[in-house]
Amino acid sequence: MKSIACISSSVRAACQQTSTCFPLNRGLIRCSSVSRCTNVDFTSRTVVAQQPCVTGVRSLHSMHVNTAVVQQVSAASAPIPVPEKREDELTVYQAVRHMPSKAASGSAPHLSSYSPYIKTQGNEAALVSIQSLFEGDVIPELCSRLAHLPSNDRAEGLATLLGACAEFGLEANSPLVLRLKSECLGLLSNRDIMVAKLCHLGEVAHALEGHQSAMVTEVLDSIGAAVEEKVVSPSEAVRVYSLLALSYNPASQKQTLMLSTLHTHTQRLVHRLRASQVSNILQCLVKLQQRQAISLVLRLSQRASRIFKAFSDNEIIRVLSALMILGQHHEDILAAMEKHLPGRLGECDPELISTVMEYCLQMRCRSELIFEAAAENFVCHAEKHTDLQIAKQIVAMGRLNYLPQCSSQMFKKLESILSTRFSQFQPRSLIEVLHACIHLERFPLNYISKVFSLYFLQRLQAQGEPLDKNALGQLTQLHLSTSLECTYYRGPRLPHALHVLRFSSVDQAFETPMESLLYKHVKGPLTQLLGGKFFSTSILTPTGYTIDVEICLDEKGYVLPLSQWDHTYKRMALCLDGQNRFCSNTQHLLGKEATKRRHLRRMGYEVVQIPYFEFERLRTKEQVQYLHNKIFPTIFKFNH
């Protein structure tokens, strides 16, 4: 009988006729002329060695070995002594291995494909392929031994054997694999196997046959029964999510129902989840595209806020990335970030900082503590950041309208980075950075002149395709800043053909549309104040901005009716600022709204802001007086 390598814990258990499962340990059993065996680690799937023999099995963790069973398994061939050979003359390689005991609480084990590897040895060495170890009657004999074990140990042993077949490249329709699959399908009918063992079986079956595996379907049916009975532990729930992320079929009504039931059951277990488990489940929800599982995601986010300190940097990145994709935000997560992150952002992975800033931007969370820590890190370590990481940080500060205390040092550092890496920045990332700067009233004219050059504009066009509206809008707003706010600028200008005609867009990248409900509340008191509907709404300016409510005045400061707007001397822009125009956790306008108001003033408009948090708390009579106090002081100054 040929020697066997890569024997799993359950295979050893089969040989020992015990139900104890040991951690998987792969080794090559080599016997000397005095029949002494030595375990040697190996990393390749093909081993070059002299003709080996098996005279015994060395137990793990000092466990007792039933030598009688071993002798029974190896009785087919007698030991063949070989000459003594130095340890360094045997070339062996370590194979990727599974550790079922640990994988139960972590991510699904990765099964790599088999690629033969043969290393030439001297004339005395014989080439032994790992695949040949699966030939003959070794595996069938082990399968017969597994048949006498309890269901859980038998399932683990069969899963490990199938996993070895997958790793060593055996075909799914090979006789050995077919026998192992038949054994597994027969075992699955018992429905008394632990969820972790079922997940292991499902993972190796998916590695062998993919989504169409009948065994994966049977495994998921068995898991579904366990989920329905609510007997799944937190670690098992993570394993189930990992398996579903591999093999979930949205067209299967059974699997969809099981996933929904798993969501409900996991919500009850959230308070018991560890940091790594929260991270893994959120990542699986992303892979499963479960944006509709809002309740579960919010519970996981709340749990993450309570154990935030326990997350590693990489786990924080995974959690925040998942929450951004799933589109959910719990206010407690920001409080936890403000409590634990500022101290970590000083000397952490730049990717963590950029992810945190990107999360704050997407959720419109303006945090002074986090942004100050990020700015200080940027001043000290910007050279270590990639171009994309730099862009994410600057863009977040600009769009959330936050100017840090160390802004002078930060922009000096940014200027230095742009000077040395200008050609390395992707054109659109560079425009994003420069566009964010104008939100903070910082005008990088040296680089704007380069951006408006014909060469750079040609770089923006990928394979002759037209520029997208977002990039053109940003370029147009940069042009307006140079024209309205930097009148001393004498560099290149953006060609008029590239100007956008209006900034309003579906993605609201440059201005937020007026809230209809807020307008309804303002309309009545405003009409009463002016003595009629002497105003117009949603007016498009020549520069492309949209004005919520426009009022026109004559030379003496009187309000003109719509029919006499041809005699307009002064225009007043009422900005009805709804909730979406502010940061979600403060009363600060977003950067795009602050920039729009600056530009409107430079264009000659008298801008009057009516924020929702001031207007909506007033009663009807108070609303008229509030509008009077806001509008008429502006009007009266034209009477003198």
Side-chain angles (χ1 to χ4, degrees), residues 101 184 292 580 593 628:
S101 62
C184 291
Q292 76 278 8
N580 290 337
E593 298 297 334
H628 182 280

Side-chain angles (χ1 to χ4, degrees), residues 143-169:
C143 289
S144 66
R145 297 299 177 186
L146 288 172
H148 303 292
L149 294 181
S151 296
N152 285 304
D153 291 341
R154 185 182 174 197
E156 181 68 11
L158 291 173
T160 306
L161 288 174
L162 274 175
C165 292
E167 290 186 9
F168 297 139

Side-chain angles (χ1 to χ4, degrees), residues 319-331:
V319 167
L320 297 183
S321 299
L323 292 177
M324 284 189 283
I325 295 173
L326 296 170
Q328 299 301 324
H329 167 64
H330 195 283
E331 57 185 10

Side-chain angles (χ1 to χ4, degrees), residues 487-505:
T487 54
Y488 49 85
Y489 174 73
R490 295 294 181 269
R493 301 283 182 176
L494 181 68
H496 191 269
L498 298 180
H499 287 208
V500 296
L501 299 179
R502 59 189 310 161
F503 286 114
S504 57
S505 59

Side-chain angles (χ1 to χ4, degrees), residues 44-48 91 93 114-120 128-129:
S44 175
R45 297 171 178 80
T46 299
V47 179
V48 181
T91 304
Y93 302 90
Y114 172 70
S115 55
Y117 179 89
I118 296 178
K119 184 176 178 66
T120 305
V128 180
S129 171

Side-chain angles (χ1 to χ4, degrees), residues 371-606:
F371 283 21
E372 286 294 337
E376 291 173 5
N377 179 282
F378 185 87
V379 171
C380 298
H381 307 291
E383 294 82 3
K384 301 178 183 178
H385 298 188
T386 65
D387 304 336
L388 183 58
Q389 290 168 349
I390 291 173
K392 287 180 179 180
Q393 295 175 52
I394 300 300
V395 167
M397 290 188 185
R399 293 186 182 176
L400 293 176
N401 195 18
Y402 185 85
L403 192 65
Q405 295 180 6
C406 59
S407 59
S408 59
Q409 297 98 314
M410 186 183 77
F411 283 105
K412 285 181 181 178
K413 179 69 72 168
L414 176 62
E415 184 177 2
S416 173
I417 294 292
L418 291 177
S419 298
T420 56
R421 299 195 208 168
F422 186 86
S423 60
Q424 300 175 19
F425 272 84
Q426 290 296 320
R428 279 172 173 75
S429 293
L430 184 60
I431 292 178
E432 293 271 3
V433 171
L434 300 181
H435 183 253
C437 289
I438 69 170
H439 290 332
L440 300 174
E441 296 187 76
R442 297 298 185 272
F443 309 103
L445 299 181
N446 292 340
Y447 306 102
I448 289 179
S449 63
K450 295 181 180 180
V451 164
F452 288 161
S453 68
L454 183 60
Y455 169 73
F456 186 86
L457 294 175
Q458 289 175 345
R459 283 184 61 197
L460 272 175
Q461 303 182 47
Q463 299 178 352
E465 302 219 350
L467 294 173
D468 61 86
K469 291 183 178 179
N470 195 288
L472 290 175
Q474 290 172 331
L475 289 171
T476 303
Q477 227 169 18
L478 284 170
H479 172 85
L480 284 176
S481 289
T482 59
S483 301
L484 300 174
E485 302 181 273
C486 305
T487 54
Y488 49 85
Y489 174 73
R490 295 294 181 269
R493 301 283 182 176
L494 181 68
H496 191 269
L498 298 180
H499 287 208
V500 296
L501 299 179
R502 59 189 310 161
F503 286 114
S504 57
S505 59
V506 176
D507 59 2
Q508 303 177 15
F510 304 98
E511 59 180 9
T512 309
M514 176 179 61
E515 288 186 5
S516 59
L517 184 59
L518 181 58
Y519 171 69
K520 288 180 181 179
H521 291 162
V522 173
K523 179 180 178 181
L526 182 60
T527 303
Q528 183 179 347
L529 175 66
L530 299 179
K533 192 177 180 300
F534 297 156
F535 57 87
S536 187
T537 59
S538 301
I539 302 299
L540 181 66
T541 67
T543 55
Y545 289 115
T546 304
I547 296 177
D548 298 334
V549 176
E550 183 174 348
I551 299 173
C552 292
L553 311 174
D554 63 11
E555 294 183 1
K556 296 181 179 180
Y558 292 107
V559 178
L560 292 172
L562 299 181
S563 59
Q564 299 182 25
W565 274 25
D566 292 340
H567 307 289
T568 298
Y569 176 76
K570 194 72 174 180
R571 298 181 184 273
M572 181 178 296
L574 269 62
C575 297
L576 308 187
D577 296 327
Q579 190 171 0
N580 290 337
R581 294 183 177 178
F582 296 88
C583 298
S584 60
N585 60 324
T586 70
Q587 295 178 354
H588 291 87
L589 281 170
L590 296 174
K592 60 183 177 182
E593 298 297 334
T595 299
K596 174 181 175 179
R597 282 147 185 71
R598 292 200 323 267
H599 287 180
L600 288 177
R601 290 189 181 97
R602 293 283 185 167
M603 290 160 56
Y605 284 89
E606 290 293 329

Side-chain angles (χ1 to χ4, degrees), residues 222-296:
S222 298
I223 293 174
V227 171
E228 190 69 32
E229 295 171 4
K230 303 176 183 177
V231 295
V232 178
S233 67
S235 60
E236 289 173 337
V238 176
R239 288 294 298 273
V240 175
Y241 274 115
S242 297
L243 177 60
L244 286 172
L246 285 174
S247 56
Y248 177 63
N249 179 15
S252 171
Q253 192 172 3
K254 281 187 177 181
Q255 293 183 25
T256 302
L257 179 61
M258 182 185 76
L259 185 58
S260 177
T261 307
L262 181 61
H263 290 342
T264 304
H265 182 61
T266 305
Q267 288 187 55
R268 302 189 186 101
L269 302 175
V270 163
H271 66 284
R272 296 168 54 189
L273 295 176
R274 300 191 303 272
S276 60
Q277 293 172 337
V278 171
S279 171
N280 289 337
I281 291 178
L282 283 172
Q283 286 293 311
C284 290
L285 291 177
V286 170
K287 293 176 183 177
L288 292 166
Q289 300 180 2
Q290 294 296 295
R291 293 178 64 91
Q292 76 278 8
I294 298 173
S295 180
L296 174 59

